C-alpha cells in the first residue's frame, strides 16, 4: 500500500510549544548547547511530559479563577481554541452515571479582560455515559500509546494512504483514573483512536449544551 506524507505547517512549527507571552514549563523549554538532547526514542516521552505540564498550568490558572474541589475520573484539557481560551472538562463519578464540570480558562493571565470565563455543569446523557463505562473498564489494559502520533491519515480511492503530519499545537491532554494508577494521554485534536473518541464524546456534549454561564471578569 502506497503512503504519501504531506507536511502541514499550521501555526507554530514546534508542537507543544507554550505561548511566547509567558514562560513555558521547564519541560517545554528547548535544550541549549551543552545540555543533552532527547534521543529519538525518548522524544515522545519528553513531549508527553511537556504537554502534561502545560495542562497542569492551565488547571492551576483555572483553579485561581474558579476554585473547585471535584476529583474527576477523567480530566480533559483542550489547550487551544479559536477564542483564545483553553477548556477543561472534568467527568465525575464511577458510572453508570457521570457528571460533567466544564470551564474555560484564558490561555494567558493577561487575557482575562477580553476572554470571559465560562462554566458548565450537567449530567452526561445516557448515550454518552453508557459507552464511557465500558471504555473506562478496559482502557488500562489496552495497548494505547501515551503520546499519539501527530498524523491525520486518510485512505484514497485507489487504496493508498494520505498522511498529513500535524505540526500545530492544538493538543488535548487526557488524564484517566484507573484502579491502581493514573494514566496520561496526549492527542492532537484531529486524532481518531480510542482516547480521541473519549475526548470527542465529552467535548461534543459540552459544545452543544446551552447550559454555559459566563462572566466578563
Amino acid at each position: 500500500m502506497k503512503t504519501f506524507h504531506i507536511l502541514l505547517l499550521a501555526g507554530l512549527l514546534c508542537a507543544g510549544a507554550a505561548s511566547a507571552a509567558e514562560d513555558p514549563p521547564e519541560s517545554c523549554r528547548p535544550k541549549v548547547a551543552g545540555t543533552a538532547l532527547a534521543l529519538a526514542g525518548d522524544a515522545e516521552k519528553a513531549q508527553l511530559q511537556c504537554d502534561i505540564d502545560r495542562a497542569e498550568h492551565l488547571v492551576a490558572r483555572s483553579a485561581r479563577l474558579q476554585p473547585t474541589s471535584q476529583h474527576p475520573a477523567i480530566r480533559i484539557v483542550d489547550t487551544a481554541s479559536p477564542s483564545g481560551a483553553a477548556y477543561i472538562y472534568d467527568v465525575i463519578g464511577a458510572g453508570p452515571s457521570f457528571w460533567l464540570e466544564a470551564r474555560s480558562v484564558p490561555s494567558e493571565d493577561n487575557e482575562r479582560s477580553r476572554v470571559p470565563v465560562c462554566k458548565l455543569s450537567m449530567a452526561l446523557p445516557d448515550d454518552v455515559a453508557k459507552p464511557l463505562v465500558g471504555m473506562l473498564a478496559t482502557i488500562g489494559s489496552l495497548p494505547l500509546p501515551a503520546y499519539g502520533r501527530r498524523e491525520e491519515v486518510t485512505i484514497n480511492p485507489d487504496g493508498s494512504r494520505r498522511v498529513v503530519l500535524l505540526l500545530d499545537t492544538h493538543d488535548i491532554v487526557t488524564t484517566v483514573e484507573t484502579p491502581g494508577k493514573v494514566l496520561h494521554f496526549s492527542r492532537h485534536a484531529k486524532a481518531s483512536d480510542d482516547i480521541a473518541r473519549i475526548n470527542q464524546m465529552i467535548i461534543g456534549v459540552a459544545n452543544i449544551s446551552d447550559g454555559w454561564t459566563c462572566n466578563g471578569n
Side-chain angles (χ1 to χ4, degrees), residues 53-187:
D53 292 344
R54 289 168 60 212
E56 288 180 351
H57 275 213
L58 290 168
V59 170
R61 182 176 300 136
S62 177
R64 293 195 298 270
L65 300 175
Q66 301 183 78
T68 178
S69 60
Q70 301 287 3
H71 186 73
I74 304 173
R75 169 166 285 163
I76 300 167
V77 181
D78 186 346
T79 64
S81 77
S83 70
Y87 286 85
I88 299 170
Y89 305 86
D90 286 345
V91 178
I92 301 154
S97 299
F98 296 96
W99 189 260
L100 173 62
E101 293 276 354
R103 54 202 184 275
S104 67
V105 54
S107 59
E108 301 171 25
D109 279 328
N110 61 11
E111 290 184 351
R112 287 188 63 190
S113 60
R114 66 180 182 87
V115 178
V117 178
C118 302
K119 184 176 182 179
L120 169 69
S121 297
M122 62 174 291
L124 283 183
D126 287 345
D127 61 347
V128 173
K130 287 180 179 178
L132 193 58
V133 171
M135 290 178 175
L136 288 175
T138 60
I139 197 169
S141 61
L142 296 176
L144 297 170
Y147 186 80
R149 300 184 68 177
R150 267 40 181 183
E151 295 179 346
E152 184 177 20
V153 181
T154 56
I155 306 299
N156 298 317
D158 64 357
S160 62
R161 299 167 71 243
R162 178 177 179 267
V163 180
V164 177
L165 303 180
L166 302 169
L167 298 184
D168 66 356
T169 58
H170 193 166
D171 305 310
I172 300 178
V173 182
T174 308
T175 302
V176 181
E177 292 270 2
T178 66
K181 60 181 175 179
V182 177
L183 302 175
H184 297 284
F185 302 94
S186 175
R187 296 292 185 269

